[in-house]
Amino acid sequence: MKRKLYDIELSGMGKPANLVNELIRDKKRVKNLEHIDGTIWFQTDGSGVRYIRTNRKRHQVKVRVVRLDDETPMNRLFHSWIALLLCAIPFVASLFLWQVNVDAEYPEVAERIEAKLEKASVVPMSLLRQLPDEGRIRSLIMTEEPELSWVRFEKKGTTLTIVPMMSPKTTNKIAKDGKPSELAARTGGVVTGFQLKSGERVARIHQTVKKGDLLATGILEQGDKVAIVGAEGAVFADYWLEYKFSLPKTIEYRSLGQTSMSLEWNLPWMKKTASSQPFWKVVKLNEIKDEPIRTLTLEKGMEKKFLVPLLKHKLLSETSFEKEIKDENILQVTFDNDKVTGTILFLINENIAVKRPLSQGGDD
């Protein structure tokens, strides 16, 4: 076993050299000996330290003893029982469930679920390895809660969050606002498809229609019988849109950076200010998302790679209509000192049908 070494400094009005000579004659460990202006430095072990302390008064010398590396806080920490205790506390704490949360939409639902969890022994201070599996807990909750469609579990460290999801309220009654209507074209284009809930097609696929043309009728005729049902649904068509734009030459955008995790120690005896975190939660895992704001200067040659995708995103977000951009054709782009302007032709596919009161048979 390697013996601990100590740095020794001998000084004073006596004779430090005589004490060192006695150490050597007594076969005590002496190494790295230095003698400068009446002061002697050397290293020895515990046996030598005891000999020096016993005989220093006889030689009238001053002694300064320092254990090697003793001045380093990290060295003192990890060579003491406190280090073992600090390492053991998080490990033992991680074996238990410290917090159970129920994130429910209604307080009464949360109270019922908390009672079921307590009955199933899913409570704080429970050993994690003794908890029932998620399927069993979900079955226990949903058996007596028919209004739930699913139960989701979120486990972060020693915290378990249960999120009950309510079933959407359904009804068999279909409400119709206003009088029966027909579907007309909001803009011109080439019809590509129908998604009708009621009514009958008037236009045909691949037919070119103009704004206001009838696409689907809400009047059904069979022989001498006429039924007014109204037309509802979507009619999709392709059309070219001339899109004029003006953008600053330098734009800012938020990019998705890296996600990092940090471990935060919250030792109760080291806190200087009050904290809302429970005293028993000594370790906290923090997730940090880096979303830096970057700048981009638009220049010639960047039309296809940057400008067109940017304008596509802008166009799709400007309206609430469900649309798809199939193709584009750059007509003109001008780069000034501080702006970029131009015109791009986009081939759009979207629902062009709008409701219009029936031209006949719509009155009561």
Side-chain angles (χ1 to χ4, degrees), residues 311-321 323-325 348:
L311 293 175
K312 280 184 178 181
H313 177 76
K314 186 173 183 292
L315 176 61
L316 292 174
S317 61
E318 282 178 345
T319 64
S320 59
F321 296 107
K323 60 166 58 100
E324 175 190 358
I325 299 178
I348 308 292

Side-chain angles (χ1 to χ4, degrees), residues 105-106 108-109 112 145-149 165-174:
E105 186 177 354
Y106 302 103
E108 58 273 15
V109 176
R112 293 198 299 267
E145 299 290 338
E147 69 273 16
L148 298 182
S149 61
M165 305 175 71
M166 307 297 291
S167 301
K169 298 185 180 298
T170 58
T171 175
N172 294 327
K173 185 178 179 180
I174 302 175

